[in-house]
């Protein structure tokens, strides 16, 4: 008799550019593999933009479509018992709510607000984007001249200026572990 299939889940990290989403996503994937011997799929916003959404602009409608695309792929991974880790700015609540509703029907869903303050993100500025936005070279940059609608009820909020990445990973993984998904 075979064991019942595992239920999949999505860890959806949202926050400003430079908040630590991609770093946390990579460490989550490493920890899940090392501790639970399970692979995971990372959908990083920058890579998705390049590979799946390259024709989109940064208008609100296109940003929401980009998040819906991420949600669709994450939902497919989740539906088939996999683990998906999404790391995207995802600035609008409506698109995140749609993704939550879709994936929650298929498996577990955890919204993680990487709530690192703007000043810290700006000081990190790994891609030099904040400087360009402040100089007016980039218009509609989230956190500068375009809004980031913070999650109202995330499963967890992480501030990487106050919490080490390894501690953040432990806190995040405690959620699906608590629910019997790991």
């Amino acid at each position: 008799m075979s064991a019942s299939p595992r239920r999949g889940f999505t860890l959806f990290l949202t926050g400003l550019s430079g908040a630590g989403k991609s770093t946390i996503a990579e460490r989550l994937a490493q920890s899940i593999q090392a501790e639970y011997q399970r692979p995971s799929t990372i959908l990083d916003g920058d890579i998705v933009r390049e590979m799946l959404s390259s024709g989109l602009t940064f208008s609100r409608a296109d940003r929401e479509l980009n998040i819906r695309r991420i949600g669709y792929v994450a939902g497919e991974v989740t539906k088939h018992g996999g683990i998906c880790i999404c790391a995207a700015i995802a600035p609008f609540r409506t698109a995140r709510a749609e993704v939550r509703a879709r994936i929650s029907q298929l498996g577990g869903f955890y919204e993680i607000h990487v709530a690192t303050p703007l000043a810290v993100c700006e000081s990190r500025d790994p891609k030099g984007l904040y400087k360009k936005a402040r100089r007016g070279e980039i218009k509609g940059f989230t956190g500068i001249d375009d809004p980031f609608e913070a999650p109202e009820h995330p499963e967890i909020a992480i501030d990487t200026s106050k919490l080490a990445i390894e501690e953040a990973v432990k806190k995040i993984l405690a959620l699906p572990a608590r629910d019997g998904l790991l």
Side-chain angles (χ1 to χ4, degrees):
M1 181 179 232
S2 65
S4 63
R6 288 188 183 250
R7 190 164 173 245
F9 65 92
T10 292
L11 300 170
F12 194 94
L13 288 78
T14 179
L16 296 170
S17 178
K21 300 177 302 298
S22 296
T23 302
I24 292 171
E26 289 292 333
R27 297 277 178 81
L28 283 166
Q30 292 166 2
S31 291
I32 290 167
Q33 182 62 49
E35 294 175 37
Y36 302 98
Q37 292 73 52
R38 290 186 68 188
S40 57
T41 299
I42 296 176
L43 297 177
D44 186 274
D46 289 341
I47 296 167
V48 169
R49 265 276 174 193
E50 179 185 334
M51 302 305 294
L52 298 177
S53 299
S54 62
L56 298 181
T57 68
F58 286 90
S59 69
R60 182 179 181 120
D62 280 0
R63 287 179 185 192
E64 287 183 337
L65 177 56
N66 184 52
I67 296 309
R68 283 188 204 101
R69 287 178 180 178
I70 289 171
Y72 174 78
V73 175
E76 289 299 301
V77 170
T78 298
K79 177 171 72 174
H80 295 288
I83 299 169
C84 193
I85 305 165
C86 303
I89 294 170
F92 304 115
R93 287 186 191 112
T94 53
R96 292 192 312 261
E98 286 178 36
V99 169
R100 176 188 288 275
R102 174 184 178 75
I103 295 173
S104 293
Q105 295 176 16
L106 305 169
F109 182 86
Y110 303 91
E111 183 177 43
I112 296 105
H113 181 197
V114 185
T116 306
L118 174 61
V120 174
C121 295
E122 218 171 329
S123 72
R124 292 175 179 169
D125 203 9
K127 302 169 201 158
L129 299 176
Y130 285 104
K131 286 180 183 140
K132 288 180 181 178
R134 292 283 186 199
R135 291 191 305 252
E137 296 170 24
I138 299 174
K139 299 290 182 198
F141 189 75
T142 303
I144 302 300
D145 60 349
D146 212 46
F148 176 81
E149 299 170 353
E152 293 178 323
H153 305 289
E155 277 68 23
I156 192 168
I158 302 290
D159 178 347
T160 60
S161 70
K162 295 180 180 174
L163 189 66
I165 297 296
E166 295 308 320
E167 286 304 308
V169 167
K170 286 179 189 173
K171 286 180 177 275
I172 293 166
L173 291 180
L175 299 169
R178 169 199 71 201
D179 295 338
L181 299 176
L182 280 175

